Coordinates of all heavy atoms in Angstrom, one line a residue:
M1 N 0.6 -12.5 5.3 CA 0.9 -11.8 6.6 C 1.3 -12.9 7.6 O 0.8 -14.1 7.5 CB -0.2 -10.9 7.1 CG -0.4 -9.7 6.1 SD -1.3 -8.4 6.8 CE -3.0 -9.1 6.9
L2 N 1.9 -12.6 8.7 CA 2.4 -13.5 9.7 C 1.5 -13.5 10.9 O 0.9 -12.5 11.3 CB 3.8 -13.1 10.2 CG 4.9 -13.4 9.3 CD1 6.2 -12.8 9.8 CD2 5.1 -14.9 9.1
G3 N 1.4 -14.6 11.6 CA 0.8 -14.7 12.9 C -0.7 -15.1 13.0 O -1.2 -15.2 14.1
F4 N -1.3 -15.3 11.8 CA -2.8 -15.7 11.9 C -3.2 -16.4 10.6 O -2.4 -16.4 9.6 CB -3.6 -14.4 12.1 CG -3.6 -13.6 10.8 CD1 -4.7 -13.7 9.9 CD2 -2.7 -12.6 10.6 CE1 -4.7 -12.9 8.8 CE2 -2.7 -11.8 9.5 CZ -3.7 -11.9 8.6
D5 N -4.3 -17.1 10.7 CA -4.9 -17.8 9.6 C -6.4 -17.4 9.5 O -7.1 -17.7 10.4 CB -4.7 -19.3 9.8 CG -5.2 -20.1 8.5 OD1 -5.2 -19.5 7.4 OD2 -5.5 -21.3 8.7
A6 N -6.7 -16.6 8.4 CA -8.1 -16.2 8.2 C -8.8 -17.2 7.4 O -8.2 -18.0 6.6 CB -8.1 -14.8 7.5
P7 N -10.2 -17.3 7.5 CA -10.9 -18.2 6.7 C -10.8 -17.9 5.2 O -10.5 -16.7 4.8 CB -12.4 -17.9 7.1 CG -12.3 -17.2 8.4 CD -11.0 -16.5 8.4
K8 N -10.8 -18.9 4.4 CA -10.8 -18.7 2.9 C -12.1 -18.0 2.5 O -13.1 -18.1 3.2 CB -10.8 -20.1 2.2 CG -9.6 -20.9 2.6 CD -8.3 -20.3 2.0 CE -7.1 -21.3 2.3 NZ -5.9 -20.6 2.5
L9 N -12.0 -17.3 1.4 CA -13.2 -16.5 1.0 C -14.4 -17.3 0.8 O -15.5 -16.8 1.2 CB -12.8 -15.8 -0.4 CG -13.9 -14.9 -0.9 CD1 -14.2 -13.7 0.1 CD2 -13.4 -14.3 -2.2
S10 N -14.3 -18.5 0.4 CA -15.5 -19.3 0.2 C -15.9 -20.1 1.4 O -16.9 -20.8 1.4 CB -15.3 -20.3 -1.0 OG -14.3 -21.2 -0.7
Q11 N -15.2 -20.0 2.5 CA -15.4 -20.8 3.7 C -16.7 -20.3 4.4 O -16.9 -19.1 4.5 CB -14.2 -20.7 4.6 CG -14.3 -21.7 5.7 CD -12.9 -21.9 6.4 OE1 -11.9 -21.3 5.9 NE2 -12.9 -22.6 7.5
A12 N -17.4 -21.2 5.0 CA -18.6 -20.9 5.8 C -18.4 -21.3 7.2 O -17.6 -22.2 7.5 CB -19.8 -21.6 5.2
C13 N -19.1 -20.7 8.1 CA -19.0 -21.0 9.5 C -20.5 -21.1 10.0 O -21.4 -20.7 9.4 CB -18.3 -19.9 10.3 SG -16.6 -19.7 9.8
F14 N -20.6 -21.6 11.3 CA -21.9 -21.7 11.9 C -21.9 -20.9 13.2 O -21.0 -20.9 13.9 CB -22.2 -23.2 12.2 CG -22.2 -24.0 11.0 CD1 -21.1 -24.7 10.6 CD2 -23.4 -24.2 10.3 CE1 -21.1 -25.4 9.4 CE2 -23.4 -24.9 9.2 CZ -22.3 -25.6 8.7
D15 N -23.0 -20.1 13.4 CA -23.1 -19.3 14.6 C -23.6 -20.2 15.7 O -23.8 -21.4 15.6 CB -24.0 -18.1 14.3 CG -25.5 -18.4 14.0 OD1 -25.9 -19.6 14.3 OD2 -26.2 -17.5 13.6
A16 N -23.8 -19.6 16.9 CA -24.2 -20.3 18.1 C -25.5 -21.1 17.9 O -25.7 -22.1 18.5 CB -24.3 -19.4 19.3
A17 N -26.4 -20.6 17.0 CA -27.7 -21.3 16.8 C -27.6 -22.3 15.7 O -28.6 -22.9 15.3 CB -28.7 -20.2 16.4
G18 N -26.4 -22.5 15.1 CA -26.2 -23.5 14.0 C -26.5 -22.9 12.7 O -26.5 -23.6 11.7
K19 N -26.7 -21.6 12.6 CA -27.0 -21.0 11.3 C -25.7 -20.7 10.6 O -24.8 -20.2 11.1 CB -27.8 -19.7 11.5 CG -28.2 -19.0 10.2 CD -29.0 -17.7 10.5 CE -29.3 -17.0 9.2 NZ -29.7 -15.6 9.4
I20 N -25.7 -21.0 9.3 CA -24.5 -20.8 8.5 C -24.3 -19.3 8.2 O -25.3 -18.5 8.0 CB -24.5 -21.6 7.2 CG1 -23.2 -21.7 6.6 CG2 -25.5 -21.1 6.2 CD1 -23.1 -22.9 5.5
W21 N -23.0 -18.8 8.2 CA -22.7 -17.5 7.8 C -21.4 -17.5 7.0 O -20.5 -18.3 7.3 CB -22.7 -16.5 9.0 CG -21.7 -16.8 10.0 CD1 -21.7 -17.7 11.0 CD2 -20.5 -16.1 10.3 NE1 -20.6 -17.7 11.8 CE2 -19.8 -16.6 11.4 CE3 -19.9 -15.0 9.6 CZ2 -18.6 -16.2 11.8 CZ3 -18.7 -14.5 10.1 CH2 -18.0 -15.1 11.2
P22 N -21.2 -16.5 6.1 CA -20.0 -16.5 5.2 C -18.8 -15.9 5.9 O -18.5 -14.7 5.7 CB -20.5 -15.7 4.0 CG -21.5 -14.8 4.6 CD -22.2 -15.5 5.7
C23 N -18.2 -16.6 6.8 CA -17.1 -16.0 7.6 C -15.9 -15.5 6.8 O -15.3 -14.5 7.1 CB -16.6 -17.0 8.7 SG -16.1 -18.6 8.1
G24 N -15.6 -16.2 5.7 CA -14.6 -15.8 4.8 C -14.9 -14.4 4.2 O -14.0 -13.5 4.1
K25 N -16.1 -14.2 3.8 CA -16.5 -12.9 3.3 C -16.5 -11.8 4.3 O -16.1 -10.7 4.1 CB -17.8 -13.0 2.6 CG -17.8 -13.8 1.3 CD -19.1 -13.9 0.6 CE -19.0 -14.7 -0.6 NZ -20.3 -14.9 -1.3
Y26 N -16.9 -12.2 5.6 CA -16.8 -11.2 6.7 C -15.4 -10.8 6.9 O -15.1 -9.6 7.1 CB -17.4 -11.8 7.9 CG -18.9 -11.6 8.0 CD1 -19.8 -12.2 7.1 CD2 -19.5 -10.9 9.1 CE1 -21.2 -12.1 7.3 CE2 -20.9 -10.8 9.2 CZ -21.7 -11.4 8.3 OH -23.1 -11.2 8.4
A27 N -14.5 -11.7 6.9 CA -13.1 -11.4 7.2 C -12.5 -10.5 6.1 O -11.9 -9.5 6.3 CB -12.2 -12.7 7.3
R28 N -12.9 -10.8 4.8 CA -12.4 -10.0 3.7 C -13.0 -8.6 3.8 O -12.3 -7.6 3.7 CB -12.9 -10.6 2.4 CG -12.5 -9.7 1.2 CD -13.4 -9.8 0.0 NE -14.8 -9.6 0.3 CZ -15.8 -10.1 -0.5 NH1 -15.5 -10.8 -1.6 NH2 -17.0 -9.9 -0.2
D29 N -14.3 -8.5 4.1 CA -15.0 -7.2 4.2 C -14.4 -6.3 5.3 O -14.2 -5.1 5.2 CB -16.5 -7.3 4.4 CG -17.1 -7.9 3.2 OD1 -16.5 -8.0 2.1 OD2 -18.3 -8.3 3.3
H30 N -14.0 -7.0 6.4 CA -13.4 -6.3 7.6 C -12.1 -5.7 7.2 O -11.8 -4.5 7.5 CB -13.3 -7.2 8.8 CG -12.8 -6.6 10.0 ND1 -13.6 -5.9 10.9 CD2 -11.5 -6.5 10.5 CE1 -12.9 -5.5 11.9 NE2 -11.6 -5.8 11.7
I31 N -11.3 -6.5 6.5 CA -9.9 -6.0 6.1 C -10.1 -4.9 5.0 O -9.4 -3.8 5.1 CB -9.1 -7.1 5.5 CG1 -8.5 -7.9 6.7 CG2 -8.0 -6.6 4.6 CD1 -7.5 -7.2 7.5
Q32 N -11.0 -5.0 4.1 CA -11.2 -4.0 3.1 C -11.7 -2.7 3.7 O -11.2 -1.6 3.3 CB -12.3 -4.4 2.1 CG -11.8 -5.5 1.1 CD -12.8 -5.9 0.1 OE1 -14.0 -5.9 0.3 NE2 -12.4 -6.4 -1.1
H33 N -12.5 -2.8 4.7 CA -12.9 -1.5 5.4 C -11.7 -0.9 6.1 O -11.6 0.4 6.0 CB -14.0 -1.9 6.5 CG -14.4 -0.8 7.3 ND1 -15.2 0.2 6.9 CD2 -14.1 -0.4 8.6 CE1 -15.4 1.1 7.8 NE2 -14.8 0.7 8.9
L34 N -10.9 -1.6 6.8 CA -9.7 -1.0 7.4 C -8.8 -0.4 6.4 O -8.3 0.7 6.6 CB -9.0 -2.1 8.2 CG -9.6 -2.6 9.5 CD1 -8.9 -3.7 10.1 CD2 -9.7 -1.4 10.5
I35 N -8.5 -1.2 5.3 CA -7.6 -0.7 4.3 C -8.1 0.6 3.6 O -7.3 1.5 3.3 CB -7.3 -1.8 3.2 CG1 -6.5 -2.9 3.9 CG2 -6.6 -1.2 2.0 CD1 -6.3 -4.1 3.0
A36 N -9.4 0.7 3.5 CA -10.0 1.9 2.9 C -9.8 3.2 3.8 O -9.9 4.3 3.3 CB -11.4 1.7 2.6
S37 N -9.4 3.0 5.0 CA -9.3 4.1 6.0 C -7.9 4.8 5.9 O -7.8 5.8 6.6 CB -9.6 3.7 7.4 OG -8.6 2.8 7.9
G38 N -7.0 4.2 5.2 CA -5.7 4.9 5.2 C -4.7 4.1 4.4 O -5.0 3.1 3.7
D39 N -3.4 4.6 4.4 CA -2.3 3.9 3.7 C -1.9 2.7 4.5 O -1.7 2.7 5.7 CB -1.1 4.9 3.6 CG -1.5 6.1 2.6 OD1 -2.3 5.9 1.7 OD2 -0.9 7.2 2.9
V40 N -1.6 1.7 3.7 CA -1.1 0.4 4.3 C 0.4 0.4 4.2 O 1.0 0.7 3.2 CB -1.7 -0.8 3.5 CG1 -1.1 -2.1 4.0 CG2 -3.2 -0.8 3.6
S41 N 1.1 0.0 5.3 CA 2.5 -0.2 5.3 C 2.8 -1.6 5.9 O 2.1 -2.1 6.7 CB 3.2 0.8 6.1 OG 2.8 0.8 7.5
C42 N 3.8 -2.3 5.4 CA 4.1 -3.6 5.8 C 5.6 -3.7 6.1 O 6.5 -3.1 5.5 CB 3.8 -4.6 4.7 SG 2.1 -4.7 4.3
I43 N 5.9 -4.5 7.1 CA 7.3 -4.9 7.5 C 7.5 -6.3 7.1 O 6.9 -7.2 7.7 CB 7.5 -4.7 9.0 CG1 7.3 -3.2 9.4 CG2 8.9 -5.1 9.4 CD1 7.2 -3.0 10.9
V44 N 8.3 -6.5 6.1 CA 8.5 -7.9 5.6 C 9.6 -8.6 6.5 O 10.6 -8.0 6.8 CB 9.1 -7.9 4.1 CG1 9.4 -9.3 3.6 CG2 8.0 -7.2 3.2
E45 N 9.2 -9.8 7.0 CA 10.1 -10.5 7.9 C 10.6 -11.8 7.4 O 11.3 -12.5 8.0 CB 9.3 -10.7 9.2 CG 8.9 -9.5 9.9 CD 8.2 -9.7 11.3 OE1 8.2 -10.8 11.7 OE2 7.7 -8.7 11.8
G46 N 10.2 -12.2 6.1 CA 10.7 -13.4 5.6 C 9.9 -13.8 4.4 O 9.1 -13.0 3.8
K47 N 10.1 -15.1 3.9 CA 9.4 -15.6 2.8 C 8.7 -16.9 3.1 O 9.1 -17.6 4.1 CB 10.4 -15.9 1.6 CG 11.2 -14.7 1.2 CD 10.5 -14.1 0.0 CE 11.4 -13.0 -0.6 NZ 10.7 -12.2 -1.6
D48 N 7.6 -17.3 2.4 CA 7.0 -18.6 2.6 C 7.6 -19.6 1.6 O 8.5 -19.2 0.9 CB 5.5 -18.4 2.6 CG 5.0 -18.1 1.2 OD1 5.7 -18.1 0.2 OD2 3.7 -17.8 1.1
G49 N 7.0 -20.7 1.6 CA 7.4 -21.8 0.7 C 7.2 -21.5 -0.8 O 7.8 -22.1 -1.7
Y50 N 6.4 -20.5 -1.1 CA 6.2 -20.1 -2.5 C 7.0 -18.8 -2.8 O 6.8 -18.2 -3.9 CB 4.7 -19.8 -2.7 CG 3.8 -20.9 -2.4 CD1 3.1 -21.1 -1.2 CD2 3.6 -22.0 -3.3 CE1 2.3 -22.1 -0.9 CE2 2.8 -23.1 -3.0 CZ 2.2 -23.1 -1.8 OH 1.4 -24.2 -1.6
N51 N 7.9 -18.4 -2.0 CA 8.8 -17.3 -2.1 C 8.0 -16.0 -2.1 O 8.4 -14.9 -2.5 CB 9.6 -17.4 -3.4 CG 10.8 -16.5 -3.3 OD1 11.4 -16.4 -2.3 ND2 11.2 -15.9 -4.4
D52 N 6.8 -16.0 -1.5 CA 6.0 -14.8 -1.2 C 6.5 -14.1 0.1 O 6.9 -14.8 1.0 CB 4.5 -15.1 -1.1 CG 3.9 -15.6 -2.4 OD1 4.4 -15.1 -3.5 OD2 3.0 -16.4 -2.4
D53 N 6.4 -12.8 0.1 CA 6.8 -12.1 1.3 C 5.9 -12.4 2.4 O 4.6 -12.5 2.2 CB 6.8 -10.6 1.0 CG 7.9 -10.1 0.1 OD1 9.0 -10.8 0.0 OD2 7.8 -9.1 -0.6
L54 N 6.4 -12.5 3.6 CA 5.6 -12.6 4.9 C 6.0 -11.5 5.8 O 7.2 -11.1 5.9 CB 5.9 -13.9 5.6 CG 5.4 -15.2 4.9 CD1 5.9 -16.4 5.6 CD2 3.9 -15.2 4.7
G55 N 5.0 -10.9 6.4 CA 5.3 -9.8 7.4 C 4.1 -9.4 8.1 O 3.0 -10.0 8.1
V56 N 4.2 -8.2 8.7 CA 3.1 -7.6 9.5 C 2.7 -6.3 8.7 O 3.6 -5.5 8.4 CB 3.6 -7.3 10.9 CG1 2.5 -6.7 11.7 CG2 4.1 -8.5 11.6
C57 N 1.4 -6.1 8.6 CA 0.9 -4.9 7.8 C 0.1 -4.1 8.8 O -0.6 -4.6 9.6 CB 0.1 -5.3 6.6 SG 1.1 -6.2 5.4
F58 N 0.2 -2.8 8.5 CA -0.5 -1.8 9.4 C -1.3 -0.8 8.5 O -0.9 -0.5 7.4 CB 0.5 -1.0 10.2 CG 1.3 -1.8 11.1 CD1 2.5 -2.4 10.6 CD2 1.0 -2.0 12.4 CE1 3.3 -3.1 11.4 CE2 1.8 -2.8 13.2 CZ 2.9 -3.3 12.8
V59 N -2.3 -0.2 9.0 CA -3.0 0.9 8.4 C -3.4 1.9 9.6 O -4.0 1.4 10.6 CB -4.3 0.5 7.6 CG1 -5.3 -0.1 8.4 CG2 -4.8 1.7 6.8
G60 N -2.9 3.1 9.5 CA -3.2 4.1 10.6 C -2.8 3.6 11.9 O -3.5 3.8 12.9
G61 N -1.7 2.8 12.0 CA -1.2 2.3 13.3 C -1.9 1.0 13.8 O -1.6 0.5 14.8
I62 N -2.9 0.5 13.0 CA -3.6 -0.7 13.4 C -2.9 -1.9 12.7 O -2.7 -1.9 11.5 CB -5.0 -0.6 12.9 CG1 -5.8 0.5 13.6 CG2 -5.7 -2.0 13.1 CD1 -7.2 0.8 13.0
D63 N -2.5 -2.9 13.5 CA -1.9 -4.1 13.0 C -3.1 -4.9 12.4 O -4.0 -5.3 13.2 CB -1.2 -4.8 14.2 CG -0.6 -6.2 13.8 OD1 -1.2 -6.9 12.9 OD2 0.4 -6.6 14.4
L64 N -3.1 -5.1 11.1 CA -4.3 -5.8 10.5 C -4.5 -7.2 11.0 O -5.6 -7.6 11.2 CB -4.1 -5.8 9.0 CG -4.0 -4.4 8.3 CD1 -3.8 -4.5 6.8 CD2 -5.3 -3.6 8.6
G65 N -3.4 -8.0 11.2 CA -3.6 -9.3 11.7 C -4.1 -9.4 13.1 O -5.0 -10.1 13.4
R66 N -3.6 -8.5 13.9 CA -4.0 -8.5 15.3 C -5.5 -8.1 15.3 O -6.3 -8.6 16.1 CB -3.2 -7.4 16.1 CG -3.8 -7.2 17.5 CD -2.9 -6.3 18.4 NE -1.8 -7.1 18.9 CZ -0.5 -6.9 18.6 NH1 -0.1 -5.9 17.9 NH2 0.4 -7.7 19.1
D67 N -5.9 -7.1 14.5 CA -7.3 -6.7 14.5 C -8.3 -7.8 14.0 O -9.3 -8.0 14.6 CB -7.5 -5.5 13.6 CG -8.8 -4.8 13.8 OD1 -8.9 -4.0 14.8 OD2 -9.7 -5.0 13.0
L68 N -7.9 -8.6 13.0 CA -8.7 -9.7 12.6 C -8.9 -10.7 13.7 O -10.0 -11.2 14.0 CB -8.1 -10.4 11.4 CG -8.4 -9.8 10.0 CD1 -7.6 -10.6 8.9 CD2 -9.9 -10.0 9.7
V69 N -7.8 -11.1 14.4 CA -7.8 -12.1 15.4 C -8.7 -11.5 16.6 O -9.5 -12.2 17.1 CB -6.4 -12.5 15.9 CG1 -6.5 -13.3 17.1 CG2 -5.7 -13.2 14.8
K70 N -8.5 -10.3 16.9 CA -9.2 -9.7 18.1 C -10.7 -9.7 17.8 O -11.5 -9.8 18.8 CB -8.7 -8.2 18.3 CG -9.3 -7.5 19.4 CD -8.7 -6.1 19.6 CE -9.4 -5.1 18.7 NZ -8.9 -3.8 18.9
H71 N -11.1 -9.5 16.6 CA -12.5 -9.5 16.2 C -13.1 -10.9 15.9 O -14.2 -11.0 15.5 CB -12.8 -8.6 15.0 CG -12.7 -7.1 15.4 ND1 -11.6 -6.4 15.4 CD2 -13.7 -6.3 15.9 CE1 -11.8 -5.1 15.8 NE2 -13.1 -5.1 16.2
G72 N -12.2 -11.9 16.2 CA -12.7 -13.3 16.0 C -12.9 -13.7 14.5 O -13.7 -14.5 14.2
L73 N -12.1 -13.0 13.6 CA -12.2 -13.3 12.2 C -11.0 -14.0 11.7 O -10.9 -14.1 10.5 CB -12.5 -12.0 11.4 CG -13.9 -11.4 11.7 CD1 -13.9 -9.9 11.2 CD2 -15.0 -12.2 11.2
A74 N -10.1 -14.4 12.5 CA -9.0 -15.2 12.2 C -8.5 -16.0 13.4 O -8.8 -15.6 14.5 CB -7.9 -14.3 11.6
V75 N -7.7 -17.0 13.1 CA -7.1 -17.9 14.2 C -5.7 -17.5 14.4 O -5.0 -17.3 13.4 CB -7.2 -19.3 13.8 CG1 -6.6 -20.2 14.8 CG2 -8.7 -19.7 13.6
A76 N -5.2 -17.3 15.6 CA -3.8 -16.9 15.8 C -2.9 -18.1 15.5 O -3.3 -19.3 15.7 CB -3.6 -16.6 17.3
D77 N -1.8 -17.8 15.0 CA -0.8 -18.8 14.6 C 0.3 -18.7 15.7 O 0.2 -19.3 16.7 CB -0.2 -18.5 13.2 CG 0.7 -19.5 12.7 OD1 1.0 -20.5 13.5 OD2 1.3 -19.4 11.6
T78 N 1.3 -17.9 15.5 CA 2.4 -17.8 16.5 C 2.3 -16.5 17.3 O 2.9 -16.3 18.3 CB 3.8 -17.8 15.8 OG1 3.8 -16.8 14.8 CG2 4.0 -19.2 15.1
R79 N 1.6 -15.5 16.7 CA 1.4 -14.2 17.4 C -0.1 -14.1 17.8 O -0.9 -14.9 17.4 CB 1.7 -13.1 16.5 CG 3.1 -13.1 16.0 CD 3.4 -12.0 15.0 NE 4.7 -12.2 14.3 CZ 5.4 -11.3 13.8 NH1 5.0 -10.1 13.9 NH2 6.6 -11.6 13.3
Y80 N -0.4 -13.1 18.5 CA -1.8 -12.7 18.8 C -2.6 -13.7 19.6 O -3.8 -13.8 19.5 CB -2.5 -12.4 17.5 CG -1.8 -11.6 16.4 CD1 -1.7 -12.0 15.1 CD2 -1.2 -10.4 16.8 CE1 -1.0 -11.2 14.2 CE2 -0.5 -9.6 15.9 CZ -0.4 -10.0 14.6 OH 0.3 -9.3 13.7
L81 N -1.9 -14.5 20.4 CA -2.5 -15.5 21.2 C -3.4 -14.9 22.2 O -4.5 -15.4 22.5 CB -1.5 -16.5 21.8 CG -0.7 -17.3 20.7 CD1 0.4 -18.1 21.4 CD2 -1.7 -18.2 19.9
A82 N -3.0 -13.8 22.8 CA -3.8 -13.1 23.8 C -5.1 -12.6 23.2 O -6.2 -12.7 23.8 CB -3.1 -12.0 24.5
E83 N -5.0 -12.1 22.0 CA -6.2 -11.5 21.3 C -7.1 -12.6 20.9 O -8.3 -12.5 21.0 CB -5.7 -10.8 20.0 CG -5.0 -9.5 20.3 CD -3.5 -9.6 20.6 OE1 -3.0 -10.7 20.6 OE2 -2.9 -8.6 20.8
E84 N -6.6 -13.8 20.5 CA -7.5 -14.9 20.2 C -8.2 -15.4 21.5 O -9.4 -15.7 21.5 CB -6.7 -16.1 19.6 CG -7.7 -17.3 19.3 CD -7.0 -18.5 18.7 OE1 -6.3 -18.3 17.7 OE2 -7.2 -19.6 19.3
Q85 N -7.5 -15.5 22.6 CA -8.1 -15.9 23.8 C -9.2 -14.9 24.2 O -10.3 -15.4 24.6 CB -7.1 -16.0 25.0 CG -7.6 -16.5 26.3 CD -8.1 -17.9 26.2 OE1 -7.7 -18.7 25.3 NE2 -9.0 -18.3 27.1
E86 N -9.0 -13.6 24.1 CA -10.0 -12.6 24.3 C -11.3 -12.8 23.4 O -12.4 -12.8 23.9 CB -9.4 -11.2 24.1 CG -10.4 -10.1 24.3 CD -9.8 -8.8 23.9 OE1 -8.6 -8.5 24.1 OE2 -10.5 -7.9 23.3
A87 N -11.0 -13.1 22.1 CA -12.1 -13.3 21.2 C -12.9 -14.6 21.5 O -14.1 -14.6 21.4 CB -11.6 -13.4 19.8
R88 N -12.2 -15.6 21.9 CA -12.8 -16.9 22.3 C -13.7 -16.7 23.5 O -14.9 -17.1 23.6 CB -11.8 -18.0 22.7 CG -11.1 -18.6 21.5 CD -10.0 -19.6 21.9 NE -9.4 -20.2 20.9 CZ -9.7 -21.5 20.4 NH1 -10.7 -22.1 21.0 NH2 -9.0 -22.0 19.4
I89 N -13.2 -16.0 24.6 CA -14.0 -15.8 25.8 C -15.2 -15.0 25.5 O -16.3 -15.3 26.0 CB -13.1 -15.1 26.9 CG1 -12.0 -16.1 27.4 CG2 -13.9 -14.6 28.0 CD1 -10.9 -15.4 28.2
A90 N -15.1 -14.0 24.6 CA -16.2 -13.1 24.2 C -17.1 -13.8 23.2 O -18.2 -13.2 22.9 CB -15.7 -11.8 23.7
K91 N -16.7 -14.9 22.7 CA -17.5 -15.7 21.6 C -17.7 -14.8 20.4 O -18.8 -14.7 19.9 CB -18.7 -16.2 22.2 CG -18.5 -17.3 23.3 CD -19.8 -18.0 23.7 CE -19.6 -19.0 24.8 NZ -18.7 -20.0 24.6
R92 N -16.7 -14.1 20.0 CA -16.8 -13.2 18.8 C -16.7 -14.0 17.5 O -15.8 -14.8 17.3 CB -15.7 -12.2 18.8 CG -15.8 -11.2 19.9 CD -14.8 -10.0 19.7 NE -14.8 -9.3 21.0 CZ -13.7 -9.1 21.7 NH1 -12.5 -9.6 21.3 NH2 -13.7 -8.4 22.8
N93 N -17.6 -13.8 16.6 CA -17.5 -14.4 15.2 C -17.2 -15.8 15.2 O -18.0 -16.7 15.4 CB -16.7 -13.5 14.3 CG -17.3 -12.1 14.1 OD1 -18.5 -12.0 13.8 ND2 -16.6 -11.1 14.4
L94 N -16.0 -16.2 14.8 CA -15.6 -17.6 14.6 C -15.8 -18.4 15.9 O -16.1 -19.6 15.8 CB -14.1 -17.7 14.2 CG -13.7 -17.2 12.9 CD1 -12.2 -17.4 12.7 CD2 -14.4 -17.8 11.7
W95 N -15.7 -17.8 17.0 CA -15.8 -18.4 18.3 C -17.2 -18.5 18.9 O -17.4 -19.1 19.9 CB -14.8 -17.8 19.3 CG -13.4 -17.6 18.7 CD1 -12.8 -16.5 18.4 CD2 -12.6 -18.7 18.2 NE1 -11.6 -16.8 17.8 CE2 -11.4 -18.1 17.7 CE3 -12.7 -20.1 18.2 CZ2 -10.4 -18.8 17.1 CZ3 -11.7 -20.8 17.6 CH2 -10.5 -20.2 17.1
A96 N -18.2 -18.0 18.1 CA -19.6 -18.0 18.6 C -20.2 -19.4 18.3 O -21.1 -19.8 18.9 CB -20.4 -16.9 17.9
G97 N -19.6 -20.1 17.2 CA -20.2 -21.4 16.9 C -19.1 -22.3 16.4 O -18.2 -22.6 17.2
S98 N -19.1 -22.7 15.2 CA -18.1 -23.6 14.6 C -17.7 -23.2 13.2 O -18.5 -22.5 12.5 CB -18.5 -25.0 14.7 OG -19.6 -25.2 13.9
V99 N -16.5 -23.7 12.8 CA -16.0 -23.4 11.5 C -16.1 -24.6 10.6 O -15.8 -25.7 11.1 CB -14.5 -22.9 11.6 CG1 -14.0 -22.6 10.2 CG2 -14.4 -21.7 12.5
S100 N -16.6 -24.4 9.4 CA -16.6 -25.6 8.5 C -15.2 -25.9 8.0 O -14.3 -25.1 8.1 CB -17.5 -25.3 7.3 OG -16.9 -24.3 6.4
K101 N -15.1 -27.1 7.4 CA -13.8 -27.4 6.8 C -13.5 -26.5 5.6 O -14.4 -26.1 4.9 CB -13.8 -28.9 6.4 CG -14.0 -29.8 7.5 CD -13.4 -31.2 7.1 CE -13.6 -32.2 8.3 NZ -12.6 -32.3 9.2
R102 N -12.2 -26.3 5.4 CA -11.8 -25.4 4.3 C -12.2 -26.0 3.0 O -12.1 -27.2 2.8 CB -10.4 -25.1 4.4 CG -10.1 -24.3 5.6 CD -8.6 -23.9 5.6 NE -8.5 -23.0 6.7 CZ -8.0 -21.8 6.6 NH1 -7.7 -21.3 5.4 NH2 -7.9 -21.0 7.6
R103 N -12.5 -25.2 2.0 CA -12.8 -25.6 0.7 C -11.8 -25.2 -0.3 O -11.2 -24.2 -0.2 CB -14.2 -25.1 0.2 CG -15.3 -25.6 1.0 CD -16.6 -25.1 0.5 NE -17.5 -24.9 1.6 CZ -18.6 -24.3 1.5 NH1 -19.0 -23.8 0.4 NH2 -19.4 -24.1 2.5

């Protein structure tokens, strides 16, 4: 999908108290919950370097990338910058503490 970068499944983050939490699993679980609520549709806008489709996906009118960023479970890339700023200010999830290096 376009516009954001979510934590890898095995990635861990630290909350405001320095306690580790599985942010990659939280992001996955959040998306799984949304996908379970309805049919997913995607608008393909291009290809990446691996020739995989890139685009924006929706379920029930919800932009999945925007929702992840808004909930502080992904970092904005080229889109969703306002949603990331909102999540940072509110210190939601990734923005409550720090993110470990990717594994």
Side-chain angles (χ1 to χ4, degrees):
M1 292 197 296
L2 287 173
F4 69 95
D5 186 21
K8 301 290 186 215
L9 184 58
S10 63
Q11 195 167 351
C13 297
F14 298 92
D15 65 16
K19 183 179 174 194
I20 198 163
W21 64 282
C23 55
K25 289 180 182 175
Y26 273 64
R28 179 208 53 201
D29 293 349
H30 185 83
I31 283 291
Q32 284 180 334
H33 175 74
L34 289 173
I35 289 171
S37 69
D39 294 329
V40 176
S41 63
C42 298
I43 300 168
V44 176
E45 297 184 8
K47 300 266 187 189
D48 66 10
Y50 300 100
N51 204 34
D52 292 327
D53 291 334
L54 291 175
V56 180
C57 295
F58 302 87
V59 63
I62 297 170
D63 177 330
L64 297 176
R66 175 174 278 120
D67 196 77
L68 273 176
V69 172
K70 182 175 86 174
H71 284 92
L73 293 168
V75 177
D77 184 0
T78 56
R79 302 176 190 207
Y80 317 129
L81 295 174
E83 290 82 0
E84 180 180 306
Q85 184 63 20
E86 177 187 323
R88 282 177 180 263
I89 290 167
K91 298 188 183 298
R92 291 186 195 124
N93 292 307
L94 297 178
W95 310 117
S98 63
V99 180
S100 69
K101 295 206 183 266
R102 293 185 175 240
R103 295 184 214 170

